[in-house]
Amino acid sequence: MGTSSRRNATTAEALLLALMLSSSAARAAAADPGFSCGPSSPSRSLPFCDRSLPAARRAADLVSRMTVAEKVSQMGDEAAGMPRLGVPPYKYWSEGLHGLAFWGHGLRFEGAVRGVTSFPQVLLTAASFDEGLWFRIGQAIGREARALYNLGQAEGLTIWSPNVNIFRDPRWGRGQETPGEDPATAGKYAVAFVRGIQGSSAAGGGGAPLQASACCKHATAYDLEDWNGVQRYNFAARVTARDLADTFNPPFRSCVVDGGATCVMCAYTGVNGVPACASSDLLTRTFRGDWGLDGYVASDCDAVAIMRDAQRYAPTPEDTVAVALKAGLDLNCGNYTQVHGMAAIRQGKMAEKDVDKALTNLFAVRMRLGHFDGDPRGSAHYGGLGAADVCTAEHKSLALQAAQDGIVLLKNDAGILPLDRSAVGSAAVIGHNADNPLVLSGNYFGPACETTTPLKGLQGYVKNVRFLAGCNSAACGVAATGQAAALASSSEYVFLFMGLSQDQEKEGLDRTSLLLPGKQQSLITAVASAAKRPVILVLLTGGPLDVTFAQSNPKIGAILWAGYPGQAGGLAIASVLFGDHNPSGRLPVTWYPEDFTKVPMTDMRMRADPATGYPGRSYRFYTGKTVYNFGYGLSYSKFSRRLLAGGKNPAPNTSLLAGLPATSKDTTSYYHVDDIGADGCEQLKFPAEVQVENHGPMDGKHSVLMFLRWPNATNGRPSSQLIGFRSQHLKAGEKANVRIDVSPCEHFSRAREDGKMVIDRGSHFLMVGRDEWEISFEA
């Protein structure tokens, strides 16, 4: 979620808050959870308390009984109580990006629960390419949120997560929060996480009442904080219809259509001259009309105020509030609509019915959360959840698994890894990220149940460990290079834990370089040169780095990317280094060379422009050199993959295309997806099976990534497009078939310049590794 001056909590401030909470001698006693329609409620006999009625009807009844002043009081993220109706105060803003967080107003970590499970930052979890894992993480976060609510430590169950923006530019400070650069991956992550947190089944359905409400953010085309004087508050993004259709919007569509998300958050970004939160085309026509959003639309924090104060989109506060609500906004994070809403109504800028529509959407979600069904502790669904359901052994194990499955092995010269613990007599651990608990969490974190740093993790495997930070911070303005080299030369093995921190990349802060900061590179090189054998470099970072120097240095034997790995990060890293876990993570973003920083962050185009030298963005369109490719990742085992064409994989039945009009343009003939229709698209679906074999020597997981390519990448076609993936665990020597369901309307289609999706007639190629299966798409 975005942060304006109102909520610009820095990492340091969040840490201070955590320390204050943990050291407080006098802790508040747990309160009762907020709810309406209990036995003593003055409204218990009214229709909005009748749980047999549909949520929207109950919500409309409640709204009809409110005064105008009461209605306006509900229009911000801190909604006032209405005692005469038996409605308690409510706080909409809570965060659960990779665990419940300090950020927001709805959660308190005091009382029976003082710590929550801290999973890896999202980008690392995305590297597992495991939808089941993502679902279980969402499910665990939702359960812990509901447990806090039952204990009176939460004043809301509307969790403003996940962040499914596309990681378009490697410098973006918030890329760490996202599932990466690929829209298909981001969409599948959104579906799995939302279903988990809301209490649905992994396949969808169920979840009545909601376990918690998820909110997909920040729609749309938001991926810049502060670059070259351009800030997210005043950035006027120019985005093509084609890029909106096939890159920026698909994750949000998946979130709503397939995941059933009950909230979408609009971004600060001005898209093609219109602030996202003032765009009726986006909020009403797209979210509700095209996608069928059954929930509410929230603004990023203070986005409504910023529409006037920074973007100058409307002349007065009253006009601004009216423009946003009429466009389809239901809730403003902040109090701007509460302060100016009454005047907007009195001045005729908006009608009371505009407010009624917004509040009905909001209260319908709260009805579905069970807040108007009496005491939630008596609910058969989630009433039994409490302190014993937070930081459970299962959740801790899941946090460890998520970190293990996300870690990406980037280099392993001569098979230096895994190490034999019995052969490692002494080790030097060097690096500012080796023993810093804060770096494990990235941003948007809460008080972790427990924390194991990389240093502590290694000490569980090696008895004789000597530690030196080497740098004074991630900025590494001061480096103890000589001391570090001396330590390395006197140790059998050397582990370097380097990378970034929230001082280089975070909300409100983009990077200007892809190189390691300060003197990190020279320190690493000096240590590697002094060491007895090739050193092992572990990078803790959100966004990608240009580590070409380490890639090509034979004295650096292994490189791992460990993201921001959460509370169990140190255990996960150590288990990979010593072979208790076989690495299977694959990069969810392209790692670009430093030269890419010449490209303006403000250039939103995804596709390359050879005429001007613009290289494009992401593996789908980028034409330049890379440090590491999207999907790259090594294992300690050798895996092979083979597409099972023929009988095992029946081709799609394209006979239904007979009679459909085919459009021809520039020697290309294609079908419009809209002409095929929903029923036709369903009939075109087909399964594709891939045989995976683990040739050993270790058991392990392998993520099968299936891509589509066209015969050529002209007319704006991607060079390739990920269409599906499956993660499969195999014992050494074992084979298994994995199935990936293919939907030609979704996976074979491409966006025209006007954003319309079409399927080219002729050949399409499914690819798994170097194996291909040609499919002809003809009537």
Side-chain angles (χ1 to χ4, degrees):
M1 207 191 79
T3 307
S4 68
S5 57
R6 172 176 175 267
R7 56 177 295 275
N8 196 9
T10 64
T11 302
E13 290 169 340
L15 174 60
L16 178 60
L17 175 59
L19 293 173
M20 289 170 61
L21 292 175
S22 63
S23 63
S24 175
R27 295 190 172 270
D32 290 332
F35 61 89
S36 299
C37 303
S40 60
S41 170
S43 307
R44 64 186 181 278
S45 61
L46 296 177
F48 72 80
C49 286
D50 185 351
R51 67 181 68 185
S52 69
L53 297 177
R57 182 173 167 186
R58 296 173 68 188
D61 177 76
L62 172 59
V63 172
S64 72
R65 299 174 187 278
M66 295 162 57
T67 66
V68 177
E70 286 173 332
K71 291 175 182 179
V72 172
S73 76
Q74 302 298 302
M75 293 166 60
D77 68 277
E78 294 194 58
M82 296 177 285
R84 71 179 187 87
L85 293 172
V87 179
Y90 187 84
K91 295 181 179 179
Y92 283 91
W93 175 21
S94 296
E95 300 282 355
L97 186 69
H98 57 106
L100 300 178
F102 291 120
W103 281 254
H105 301 142
L107 304 175
R108 298 193 309 274
F109 302 103
E110 52 189 11
V113 172
R114 305 182 185 186
V116 291
T117 310
S118 179
F119 295 96
Q121 182 62 291
V122 175
L123 193 65
L124 184 70
T125 303
S128 69
F129 286 93
D130 187 338
E131 295 172 81
L133 178 67
W134 302 339
F135 171 80
R136 287 186 289 138
I137 290 172
Q139 190 178 54
I141 294 170
R143 285 179 65 85
E144 295 197 353
R146 179 62 78 158
L148 260 66
Y149 194 84
N150 289 345
L151 292 166
Q153 291 184 227
E155 296 176 76
L157 277 172
T158 37
I159 311 297
W160 288 352
S161 301
N163 180 343
V164 292
N165 289 117
I166 295 299
F167 197 169
R168 175 186 61 94
D169 191 289
R171 292 162 286 186
W172 186 31
R174 300 189 72 179
Q176 59 182 293
E177 302 175 25
T178 76
E181 70 183 32
D182 177 64
T185 306
K188 289 180 182 294
Y189 179 88
V191 172
F193 185 88
V194 166
R195 287 177 177 174
I197 203 168
Q198 292 193 162
S200 304
S201 68
L210 296 167
Q211 177 173 251
S213 165
C215 191
C216 291
K217 59 188 187 183
H218 316 75
T220 187
Y222 163 54
D223 48 22
L224 177 147
E225 300 302 304
D226 188 351
W227 179 83
N228 202 28
V230 178
Q231 294 185 322
R232 57 187 176 160
Y233 305 128
N234 58 16
F235 177 39
R238 308 305 300 182
V239 189
T240 67
R242 174 182 268 170
D243 286 341
L244 284 171
D246 72 1
T247 298
F248 296 113
N249 284 349
F252 293 98
R253 183 186 186 279
S254 296
C255 202
V256 174
V257 175
D258 301 318
T262 45
C263 169
V264 178
M265 178 180 288
C266 51
Y268 297 119
T269 316
V271 180
N272 299 330
V274 182
C277 293
S279 172
S280 59
D281 182 67
L282 184 67
L283 276 54
T284 297
R285 186 183 71 81
T286 302
F287 293 173
R288 295 201 183 279
D290 295 345
W291 300 347
L293 172 66
D294 183 10
Y296 69 99
V297 178
S299 81
D300 208 336
C301 281
D302 288 338
V304 178
I306 286 166
M307 282 164 52
R308 177 177 182 269
D309 297 342
Q311 297 168 336
R312 300 297 175 186
Y313 187 70
T316 69
E318 293 78 19
D319 285 302
T320 306
V321 170
V323 164
L325 260 71
K326 288 181 177 180
L329 184 71
D330 299 313
L331 181 76
N332 169 46
C333 178
N335 64 3
Y336 201 77
T337 50
Q338 291 164 313
V339 171
H340 301 290
M342 187 68 77
I345 295 172
R346 287 173 179 162
Q347 294 173 21
K349 306 289 186 181
M350 66 182 184
E352 188 176 348
K353 67 179 182 180
D354 296 318
V355 179
D356 290 352
K357 180 179 65 174
L359 295 188
T360 300
N361 292 330
L362 289 168
F363 279 108
V365 171
R366 288 171 61 179
M367 298 286 175
R368 293 169 63 190
L369 285 164
H371 295 335
F372 290 80
D373 295 342
D375 193 331
R377 293 168 296 190
S379 166
H381 293 278
Y382 309 114
L385 295 177
D389 299 288
V390 180
C391 289
T392 63
E394 179 184 0
H395 291 181
K396 293 176 184 178
S397 176
L398 184 61
L400 174 60
Q401 181 193 344
Q404 289 174 326
D405 289 355
I407 290 172
V408 181
L409 180 61
L410 297 173
K411 179 180 179 180
N412 193 23
D413 283 0
I416 186 174
L417 297 178
L419 298 171
D420 179 356
R421 64 192 300 174
S422 65
V424 181
S426 66
V429 173
I430 298 169
H432 56 280
N433 280 341
D435 199 32
N436 181 358
L438 264 186
V439 79
L440 302 177
S441 300
N443 64 359
Y444 283 96
F445 58 87
C449 313
E450 57 193 24
T451 301
T452 304
T453 65
L455 175 62
K456 291 180 180 176
L458 284 175
Q459 287 171 334
Y461 284 83
V462 182
K463 292 182 178 179
N464 184 10
V465 175
R466 291 180 292 169
F467 167 62
L468 179 70
C471 291
N472 60 328
S473 67
C476 204
V478 177
T481 305
Q483 192 178 353
L487 177 60
S489 67
S490 62
S491 302
E492 291 183 43
Y493 287 84
V494 177
F495 302 90
L496 287 148
F497 291 92
M498 312 300 286
L500 307 178
S501 74
Q502 300 304 296
D503 291 331
Q504 285 76 45
E505 52 176 356
K506 64 179 178 181
E507 185 170 2
L509 178 65
D510 295 319
R511 286 187 287 159
T512 57
S513 172
L514 300 179
L515 300 175
L516 285 165
K519 299 179 180 179
Q520 284 196 50
Q521 180 171 325
S522 60
L523 174 72
I524 293 167
T525 302
V527 167
S529 178
K532 297 177 181 179
R533 49 170 53 90
V535 302
I536 296 160
L537 173 62
V538 181
L539 299 169
L540 278 76
T541 165
L545 293 165
D546 182 350
V547 288
T548 306
F549 80 96
Q551 202 179 36
S552 59
N553 188 340
K555 289 285 286 178
I556 299 175
I559 306 173
L560 285 83
W561 175 67
Y564 295 127
Q567 66 178 44
L571 290 174
I573 293 168
S575 69
V576 169
L577 292 174
F578 286 90
D580 285 341
H581 184 84
N582 194 347
S584 59
R586 305 181 74 168
L587 292 177
V589 288
T590 301
W591 282 34
Y592 300 87
E594 171 68 3
D595 192 57
F596 188 85
T597 58
K598 295 176 183 177
V599 177
M601 277 191 76
T602 49
D603 194 326
M604 299 294 291
R605 290 176 297 167
M606 294 301 298
R607 289 157 171 84
D609 182 0
T612 61
Y614 181 70
R617 297 176 182 274
S618 85
Y619 76 94
R620 298 161 65 223
F621 303 109
Y622 177 62
T623 56
K625 294 181 179 179
T626 64
V627 179
Y628 290 109
N629 292 332
F630 173 89
Y632 180 81
L634 303 174
S635 170
Y636 295 150
S637 293
K638 179 183 177 182
F639 290 89
S640 63
R641 302 158 302 280
R642 184 167 66 91
L643 266 165
L644 300 176
K648 281 280 187 180
N649 281 332
N653 176 17
T654 58
S655 61
L656 61 91
L657 300 176
L660 284 181
T663 303
S664 295
K665 183 178 181 182
D666 300 328
T667 72
T668 299
S669 181
Y670 51 77
Y671 299 100
H672 289 262
V673 172
D674 287 345
D675 289 341
I676 298 173
D679 291 341
C681 286
E682 190 65 30
Q683 294 177 51
L684 283 173
K685 292 179 179 179
F686 66 97
E689 286 202 15
V690 180
Q691 184 183 84
V692 191
E693 182 174 359
N694 181 355
H695 300 277
M698 293 178 61
D699 299 350
K701 287 179 71 175
H702 182 73
S703 292
V704 177
L705 307 187
M706 181 176 288
F707 293 83
L708 178 82
R709 75 168 180 87
W710 289 260
N712 58 68
T714 58
N715 294 325
R717 297 178 184 88
S719 59
S720 66
Q721 168 67 60
L722 183 68
I723 65 171
F725 47 85
R726 287 289 183 273
S727 182
Q728 179 70 40
H729 188 276
L730 294 168
K731 295 180 179 178
E734 185 181 7
K735 295 180 183 178
N737 291 353
V738 299
R739 169 175 163 157
I740 295 175
D741 293 320
V742 182
S743 172
C745 287
E746 178 184 356
H747 300 139
F748 286 21
S749 62
R750 62 177 178 86
R752 298 191 318 186
E753 287 187 6
D754 62 2
K756 297 293 185 182
M757 302 305 294
V758 298
I759 302 177
D760 291 329
R761 296 179 67 178
S763 295
H764 298 74
F765 299 86
L766 293 182
M767 303 188 304
V768 175
R770 296 181 179 178
D771 208 8
E772 290 191 348
W773 175 22
E774 182 177 0
I775 296 174
S776 181
F777 209 82
E778 299 283 359

